[in-house]
Amino acid sequence: MITIVDYGMGNLQSVRNGFARMGYRTFVTDKPEEIKKARGIILPGVGAFGQAVKNLKEKGLGEAVKTRAREGVFLLGICLGLQLLLDKSQEGLDLKSGGLELIPGEVIKFRGKLKIPHMGWNQLKPIKGDPLLKGIKKGDYFYFVHSYYAVPQDNSAILASSEYGRDFAAVIKGAPFIYGVQFHPEKSSRAGLKILENFGELVYNGSHTSH
Amino acid sequence: MLAKRIIPCLDVKEGRVVKGVKFVNLRDAGDPVELASFYDQAGADELVFLDITASYEKRKTMIDVVSKTAEKVYIPFTVGGGIGTIEEIKDILSAGADKVSLNTVAFQNPDLINEGAEKFGTQCIVVAVDAKKNVEKDDWDVYIHGGRTNTGRSALEWVEEVEKRGAGEILLTSMDSDGGKDGYDITLNAAIAEKVNIPVIASGGAGEMKHFLEALTTGKADAALAASVFHYRQFSVKEVKEYLAKNGVEVRL
């Protein structure tokens, strides 16, 4: 089962609906022991980084996600969920606790003469082939809502970029099967649903771990 | 590049679409969920539901519409009309809407903008501004109560305030052009868009495809909203977007 981590940040129903549409059942939990049983994990999120880190820590959800992801379970961070995969963010610097440290790097704020948040449909520029991006073409549009973006230490972690004032990481991957998408696949119409379907396929057919 | 957005708007009364979509092959042209799904397939970038239900008791039907829509529609959608408290915002958002649009209540209780933005994020809070030209002041007045009350407040000032308070977007309706088919109010749009650093959605007056082009170029709008031209199939969302692309506007096709 694909498990959606409920840590009190944003609405999870749309993500569930998206997977359901593509034929995948999901399970929402706020219990670390349930995450330990997950076959695939979704880390969603809308809101502020600092609050998310705090919420994840309180119930031990962050640790559970981290442990499972390192063991090889497929993980997909969406929007703020992507940002949480990194070490730290400029948002919520007052907190000593940082991100999940699953992908080295940091999260910084958009600067310059730009409307912030970056909100709306923007094009994806795939950089590396990956099963998560199967069927996605250069120039396909996805729906973004964010003011901060991830800067992985190692450029090779970037599977696809997008442009808003500058190129930024729109899809990232860390070893073994840790994925993050900065856009909302559940709100990105057909192209977004394809990503959810691809993730579902990875979880059920592409797993290299034994269960 | 960030694409310009085309947004069909559906008026919903007691859970049913009024001014329904004509000439579209639907089982039930009054069903908001079916229409929303139709527009998603047709290439709409977002949707707006405007709840025009008069009675408070019957407004709860909107929650049901929202959750059913979220099951079938995979683009962002906004709900406006009759939302007055943080709890009501929360109910609409947890049912699956992405944003709420606040109009009269934002004017009468502007702290709700701050509270909503703090609690749910600025991207969730759209402030709808109905503006009408005031020739004497060379400005536009803000109207509330569905355009029935002139507040006397300058629209140019008001949008600056709502941005400071945390609104993520402005849905700007020109009362001078709304209801007509002579085009969006380009002067108003450009003036407002220059005042704020958040996206502005142009509304009111779309009758031809070139009106969309004007709003998104000289009018400096980030998105254009329309109702009847789409519902009555004067042209489709896709046709407008193809026309815009041909004229050099970045759109999602």
Side-chain angles (χ1 to χ4, degrees):
Chain A
M1 186 95 73
I2 296 172
T3 300
I4 301 175
V5 186
D6 178 8
Y7 58 106
M9 301 296 280
N11 138 48
L12 314 174
Q13 195 55 44
S14 300
V15 179
R16 296 201 75 185
N17 291 343
F19 274 111
R21 169 76 165 252
M22 304 323 282
Y24 290 99
R25 283 181 61 205
T26 51
F27 171 74
V28 174
T29 188
D30 61 354
K31 297 187 177 65
E33 56 272 26
E34 295 291 348
I35 289 165
K36 285 176 191 146
K37 292 188 264 176
R39 196 158 175 185
I41 301 171
I42 305 292
L43 189 62
V46 170
F49 190 90
Q51 187 64 44
V53 166
K54 204 174 141 221
N55 292 7
L56 280 171
K57 205 165 189 167
E58 262 170 22
K59 287 183 175 168
L61 287 166
E63 272 311 303
V65 169
K66 212 164 146 171
T67 307
R68 286 305 274 152
R70 287 199 169 137
E71 284 169 6
V73 166
F74 284 87
L75 169 65
L76 178 64
I78 296 174
C79 195
L80 178 63
L82 169 150
Q83 299 179 3
L84 288 164
L85 303 177
L86 289 103
D87 299 326
K88 57 181 177 181
S89 172
Q90 283 181 349
E91 188 181 23
L93 283 177
D94 50 319
L95 283 148
K96 285 193 185 109
S97 47
L100 295 176
E101 300 173 351
L102 286 166
I103 297 178
E106 56 180 5
V107 178
I108 65 173
K109 191 165 190 181
F110 280 112
R111 303 243 174 257
K113 283 185 85 177
L114 294 167
K115 291 191 180 184
I116 291 170
H118 169 224
M119 177 163 67
W121 296 84
N122 208 331
Q123 284 174 300
L124 207 63
K125 294 190 264 187
I127 294 167
K128 285 169 121 183
D130 190 278
L132 186 75
L133 300 177
K134 193 179 76 187
I136 302 299
K137 299 182 300 292
K138 181 176 186 290
D140 279 351
Y141 282 92
F142 291 85
Y143 189 77
F144 290 83
V145 184
H146 61 127
S147 305
Y148 296 80
Y149 62 95
V151 184
Q153 222 170 65
D154 184 354
N155 263 336
S156 68
I158 304 175
L159 294 183
S161 67
S162 190
E163 190 193 334
Y164 191 58
R166 49 158 297 149
D167 276 348
F168 68 89
V171 184
I172 58 175
K173 185 182 182 184
F177 307 111
I178 298 160
Y179 289 100
V181 291
Q182 182 58 65
F183 50 81
H184 286 276
E186 76 281 12
K187 288 290 168 182
S188 296
S189 204
R190 266 162 295 187
L193 292 175
K194 180 67 188 155
I195 300 250
L196 296 183
E197 184 182 33
N198 290 345
F199 185 76
E201 257 175 44
L202 276 170
V203 169
Y204 286 100
N205 304 318
S207 179
H208 297 279
T209 53
S210 54
H211 289 278
Chain B
M1 246 176 84
L2 191 62
K4 300 283 188 181
R5 291 167 282 154
I6 300 297
I7 308 175
C9 176
L10 298 166
D11 287 357
V12 179
K13 190 178 180 184
E14 293 172 20
R16 303 281 298 168
V17 175
V18 293
K19 290 196 285 185
V21 178
K22 300 284 155 77
F23 316 117
V24 176
N25 194 16
L26 295 174
R27 276 174 298 146
D28 179 1
D31 178 8
V33 181
E34 207 168 325
L35 280 171
S37 177
F38 164 78
Y39 279 123
D40 177 0
Q41 307 290 322
D45 297 307
E46 281 186 46
L47 292 170
V48 170
F49 287 114
L50 189 60
D51 186 7
I52 55 168
T53 305
S55 86
Y56 176 78
E57 297 77 47
K58 286 179 179 163
R59 251 189 237 134
K60 302 235 182 297
T61 54
M62 201 58 204
I63 299 288
D64 191 41
V65 169
V66 170
S67 43
K68 286 188 174 134
T69 302
E71 282 171 22
K72 283 199 168 175
V73 172
Y74 299 95
I75 55 173
F77 66 95
T78 303
V79 176
I83 298 164
T85 63
I86 279 286
E87 287 69 37
E88 283 166 357
I89 296 176
K90 183 170 175 270
D91 289 345
I92 293 279
L93 295 177
S94 12
D98 299 277
K99 312 174 190 182
V100 293
S101 167
L102 309 174
N103 194 335
T104 302
V105 68
F107 194 88
Q108 291 176 334
N109 174 21
D111 287 343
L112 189 63
I113 305 171
N114 305 60
E115 284 172 49
E118 273 159 35
K119 204 153 181 165
F120 309 108
T122 56
Q123 79 284 346
C124 292
I125 309 297
V126 180
V127 173
V129 177
D130 295 344
K132 192 171 169 38
K133 181 83 188 174
N134 182 326
V135 185
E136 281 165 34
K137 285 200 267 181
D138 193 25
D139 196 339
W140 291 266
D141 290 331
V142 176
Y143 279 67
I144 54 171
H145 298 130
R148 290 188 307 275
T149 311
N150 183 357
T151 64
R153 180 82 191 268
S154 148
L156 295 171
E157 278 174 30
W158 173 233
V159 293
E160 276 190 311
E161 181 179 337
V162 306
E163 179 183 23
K164 275 199 203 99
R165 286 179 175 273
E169 210 163 14
I170 287 168
L171 169 52
L172 178 66
T173 302
S174 159
M175 291 179 52
D176 298 301
S177 48
D178 196 26
K181 299 260 178 193
D182 303 323
Y184 296 96
D185 188 335
I186 302 304
T187 324
L188 166 67
N189 247 290
I192 298 287
E194 276 163 20
K195 274 281 171 192
V196 292
N197 199 36
I198 50 178
V200 176
I201 306 167
S203 160
E208 295 170 42
M209 292 204 277
K210 72 166 190 213
H211 296 153
F212 289 83
L213 180 63
E214 288 163 2
L216 298 170
T217 53
T218 38
K220 301 186 177 178
D222 299 275
L225 176 140
S228 55
V229 288
F230 294 138
H231 302 336
Y232 294 96
R233 262 298 178 83
Q234 207 163 320
F235 38 79
S236 67
V237 173
K238 188 157 183 273
E239 282 167 330
V240 177
K241 291 173 100 176
E242 279 167 354
Y243 167 85
L244 290 169
K246 222 180 283 167
N247 284 279
V249 176
E250 177 91 18
V251 284
R252 176 181 69 109
L253 279 172

